[in-house]
């Protein structure tokens, strides 16, 4: 609700986890087009962050041969380490998750100063976003689907013209 309210008065852009394609199989383009039609400024495919994440991990391991690190794509694992296994914190990779790599790129290289919203399958991503402060909101696929049903949103059918915003500056 807060995100849809903000979209009426401020520029809001979304970074979408690639798993939307299976979570909203057959209608994900229609859902994202509906967001675009309802004032979403930009909608980025978060999968390009995986390329950045992989590249940065390779660079880190080249600079730190033999390093043993736990990558951070899963916020639930990071939350677990923070709450139950603090000794693992020093083993966490300094490289952010793919979605956060996307967000950093969007801010730094595309110059997007909008309110950023992560559209993800994972509730735990909210902690990651809060801890970094770059992405302001985490909207899960489930919550978006509930919103669509509760507000009786009529999605288009058939062909969708939706395309993700360009990830190049």
């Amino acid at each position: 609700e807060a995100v849809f309210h903000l979209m009426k008065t401020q520029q809001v852009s979304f970074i979408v986890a690639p798993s939307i394609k299976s979570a909203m199989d057959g209608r994900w383009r229609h859902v994202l087009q509906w967001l675009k039609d309802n004032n979403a400024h930009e909608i980025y495919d978060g999968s390009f962050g995986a390329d950045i994440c992989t590249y940065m991990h390779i660079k880190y391991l080249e600079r730190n041969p033999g390093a043993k690190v736990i990558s951070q794509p899963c916020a639930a694992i990071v939350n677990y380490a923070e709450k139950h296994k603090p000794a693992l914190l020093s083993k966490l990779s300094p490289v952010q998750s793919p979605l956060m790599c996307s967000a950093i790129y969007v801010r730094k290289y595309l110059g997007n100063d909008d309110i950023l919203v992560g559209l993800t399958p994972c509730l735990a991503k909210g902690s990651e976003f809060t801890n970094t402060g770059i992405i302001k909101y985490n909207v899960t696929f489930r919550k978006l689907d509930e919103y669509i049903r509760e507000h009786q949103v009529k999605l288009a059918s058939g062909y969708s013209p939706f395309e993700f915003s360009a990830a190049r500056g």
Side-chain angles (χ1 to χ4, degrees):
E1 294 286 339
V3 169
F4 291 109
H5 179 72
L6 280 173
M7 288 170 63
K8 294 176 184 173
T9 60
Q10 298 183 47
Q11 285 196 313
V12 175
S13 288
F14 289 81
I15 300 176
V16 183
S19 55
I20 193 168
K21 294 171 184 174
S22 60
M24 296 188 173
D25 189 32
R27 62 188 182 109
W28 65 272
R29 285 181 176 273
H30 298 292
V31 170
L32 297 179
Q33 184 63 52
W34 172 76
L35 286 172
K36 194 75 171 152
D37 293 344
N38 284 276
N39 298 327
H41 182 233
E42 302 285 357
I43 302 178
Y44 301 101
D45 182 351
S47 65
F48 74 90
D51 291 340
I52 297 168
C53 184
T54 300
Y55 175 82
M56 295 308 296
H57 272 109
I58 291 168
K59 290 297 178 192
Y60 177 79
L61 292 172
E62 285 174 351
R63 287 190 305 270
N64 300 279
K68 306 283 190 267
V69 295
I70 300 168
S71 66
Q72 298 189 44
C74 179
I77 290 173
V78 175
N79 289 347
Y80 176 79
E82 289 174 339
K83 293 175 185 164
H84 303 290
K85 300 285 184 181
L88 294 177
L89 294 176
S90 65
K91 301 288 186 198
L92 289 176
S93 169
V95 179
Q96 300 287 341
S97 73
L99 213 65
M100 285 305 305
C101 287
S102 297
I104 292 165
Y105 181 87
V106 162
R107 285 276 192 251
K108 185 173 180 175
Y109 296 102
L110 300 183
N112 184 319
D113 290 328
D114 295 354
I115 294 169
L116 291 180
V117 175
L119 188 52
T120 76
C122 181
L123 193 58
K125 282 288 193 192
S127 299
E128 177 185 16
F129 299 162
T130 298
N131 290 342
T132 60
I134 297 171
I135 296 177
K136 184 156 177 84
Y137 295 96
N138 178 39
V139 175
T140 64
F141 300 148
R142 173 184 269 175
K143 283 294 184 184
L144 180 57
D145 206 34
E146 286 174 11
Y147 182 92
I148 288 169
R149 275 185 281 134
E150 288 171 9
H151 291 84
Q152 300 177 351
V153 171
K154 302 292 184 216
L155 297 172
S157 60
Y159 171 79
S160 171
F162 177 79
E163 292 291 336
F164 284 106
S165 299
R168 295 186 303 275

